[in-house]
Amino acid sequence: MLAVFIYQLDLHYLVPVSNRDLIDADMYRVVRYVIASQKYNEVDLSGNKITQLGAQILAEAIRKNKTLTHLYLVNNRVGDIGVSHLADALEKNTTLTSLKLGGNEIEQKGGEYLGNVLRKNSTLTTLHLQSNQLGDPGAIELGNALKINNTLASLSLVNNCVEAAGAQALAEGLKEHLTLYELDLWNNKVGDDGAMHLATALKSNRTLRYLYLGKNQIGDNGVEHLASALKENTALTHLYLRKNKITAAGAKHLGDALQQNEMLAQLYLFGNQIGDEGVQHLTMGLKKNQHLAVLDVGCNKLNDKGIGSLISIFEDDSVLSTLDIQFNQIGEKNQAKLIRLMHFHPDLKIYW
């Protein structure tokens, strides 16, 4: 029984009740034994069968709760109406810092409700909304809210059908927002135009550290804008561009940017088409860069010429500590060189 399970917990901060086939009626017990008890900081209700009715029950309980800081409802079915109840509660709640609502059939209206919350709530720092259907309208609501909110630190919109218009609104928000350090837009459709808008924001933004733009149909034109921003940006440390449409031309822009950028620590380009020519451009940039520690160029149609170029980086005093070159064509001679390289640099991690 749910009540017995909760009673037997000796953890006084986390209640793990995920993937237990809980339904809306079970939320009364969660409220009684967990939220109303004022003992627990985190409640994980992910992977259950909670709908808008269950969300309403939870919302009423958290409205005045003073102990709960993390609420996870990933992969339920709360929908826009359920979000409206939670959003209403968050206008009053002053302790919840992390809300995860991925996979909950949330659409534009839900984005509007959450946008309104961000304009008023001053405690929420993490909002994860992956695998919903917010689209551009929902992203626009959230982007507009960022202009006013100054507490949110992490925003995930993974797999939400966000295109260039949504990216533009988020970018406009980033120009004024002062606390967001992580923006995750993996598996959307922002394209070159969306990348351009985000790049414009990066030129003035001084807080964003992590930007995830993998699988976004970004080509060389979009990367040119991002690379231009990297020449001026002094905050971004992690840039993820996996599974886009970047070729040697885009890699050249990134290589040029690496010669000037003094902040980027990790660059991920897995699953593009930069080829040997592209990796040579990156190598030229890396030989003048003393800050990039992680480079991922796996699955990029590299052959021995490109691999050899990467190996040559370590002839100088490179700070690169992790190199991913998996799913490329590496000949026996270069494999032997890589083995020797790792032998003389035991802290170096190379994946091939």
Side-chain angles (χ1 to χ4, degrees):
M1 293 176 59
L2 179 61
V4 173
F5 171 76
I6 294 172
Y7 182 77
Q8 291 175 339
L9 286 173
D10 58 1
L11 297 174
H12 292 287
Y13 59 92
L14 170 63
V15 180
V17 282
S18 58
N19 302 303
R20 288 183 167 270
D21 289 327
L22 301 184
I23 60 175
D24 292 331
D26 291 318
M27 295 308 99
Y28 288 110
R29 296 180 181 85
V30 171
V31 168
R32 179 181 176 183
Y33 295 106
V34 180
I35 299 178
S37 73
Q38 302 283 341
K39 291 196 305 182
Y40 301 100
N41 302 125
E42 300 184 31
V43 178
D44 187 352
L45 289 162
S46 300
N48 286 297
K49 298 177 181 178
I50 304 166
T51 72
Q52 64 193 52
L53 298 176
Q56 183 176 11
I57 296 167
L58 293 169
E60 290 299 322
I62 67 174
R63 188 183 302 273
K64 297 181 180 180
N65 180 276
K66 300 298 182 183
T67 56
L68 192 67
T69 59
H70 296 66
L71 178 60
Y72 307 144
L73 287 164
V74 177
N75 294 335
N76 282 284
R77 294 175 291 170
V78 305
D80 288 347
I81 296 176
V83 168
S84 72
H85 295 305
L86 293 168
D88 184 60
L90 287 175
E91 290 187 15
K92 305 293 183 183
N93 180 282
T94 58
T95 56
L96 197 73
T97 60
S98 180
L99 179 62
K100 297 184 179 181
L101 293 170
N104 265 287
E105 303 173 4
I106 302 170
E107 299 182 357
Q108 174 184 351
K109 201 65 178 177
E112 182 179 334
Y113 295 135
L114 291 168
N116 288 335
V117 166
L118 292 178
R119 290 180 176 89
K120 300 174 183 178
N121 181 285
S122 60
T123 55
L124 197 67
T125 60
T126 299
L127 180 60
H128 289 183
L129 301 167
Q130 67 273 18
S131 299
N132 284 295
Q133 298 94 41
L134 290 168
D136 280 343
I140 289 170
E141 293 288 345
L142 294 170
N144 290 338
L146 288 178
K147 296 178 181 179
I148 299 171
N149 175 281
N150 270 313
T151 54
L152 195 68
S154 176
L155 176 61
S156 174
L157 296 175
V158 169
N159 191 29
N160 261 284
C161 300
V162 178
E163 300 186 15
Q168 182 177 10
L170 292 167
E172 292 299 319
L174 283 174
K175 291 178 182 178
E176 301 182 37
H177 191 80
L178 301 176
T179 58
L180 198 74
Y181 75 86
E182 179 181 52
L183 177 60
D184 194 345
L185 290 168
W186 166 266
N187 195 26
N188 282 286
K189 301 175 183 178
V190 306
D192 287 344
D193 288 343
M196 175 188 69
H197 294 305
L198 291 166
T200 301
L202 287 177
K203 290 183 177 181
S204 59
N205 180 278
R206 293 295 178 266
T207 56
L208 196 70
R209 298 288 186 269
Y210 297 80
L211 180 58
Y212 299 83
L213 291 173
K215 209 172 181 182
N216 261 285
Q217 302 176 11
I218 298 172
D220 295 333
N221 290 336
V223 168
E224 182 177 6
H225 291 291
L226 291 169
S228 176
L230 288 176
K231 294 177 181 179
E232 301 180 34
N233 181 276
T234 58
L236 198 71
T237 59
H238 294 64
L239 179 58
Y240 294 77
L241 292 168
R242 290 172 169 167
K243 295 188 177 182
N244 279 294
K245 300 178 179 180
I246 305 167
T247 71
K252 184 179 188 306
H253 295 307
L254 290 171
D256 292 343
L258 287 175
Q259 296 186 38
Q260 299 182 39
N261 181 277
E262 297 182 351
M263 183 58 65
L264 197 69
Q266 299 188 15
L267 176 60
Y268 295 86
L269 294 167
F270 180 96
N272 284 282
Q273 303 98 38
I274 67 173
D276 287 344
E277 180 185 351
V279 88
Q280 286 178 302
H281 292 307
L282 291 175
T283 298
M284 291 177 64
L286 284 170
K287 287 185 176 180
K288 295 183 179 181
N289 181 289
Q290 291 299 312
H291 302 278
L292 196 78
V294 177
L295 176 64
D296 178 2
V297 287
C299 196
N300 261 285
K301 300 182 179 180
L302 305 185
N303 293 298
D304 277 332
K305 186 176 182 180
I307 299 299
S309 178
L310 288 168
I311 292 173
S312 71
I313 295 172
F314 300 98
E315 294 174 356
D316 302 316
D317 294 327
S318 175
V319 298
L320 200 67
S321 61
T322 301
L323 176 63
D324 193 334
I325 50 176
Q326 296 182 89
F327 308 109
N328 289 298
Q329 298 297 318
I330 307 174
E332 291 183 2
K333 289 184 178 180
N334 276 332
Q335 289 186 37
K337 289 180 181 179
L338 290 168
I339 292 171
R340 285 197 299 272
L341 191 60
M342 295 178 70
H343 175 74
F344 288 109
H345 300 273
D347 293 331
L348 180 63
K349 297 178 182 178
I350 302 179
Y351 303 98
W352 80 86

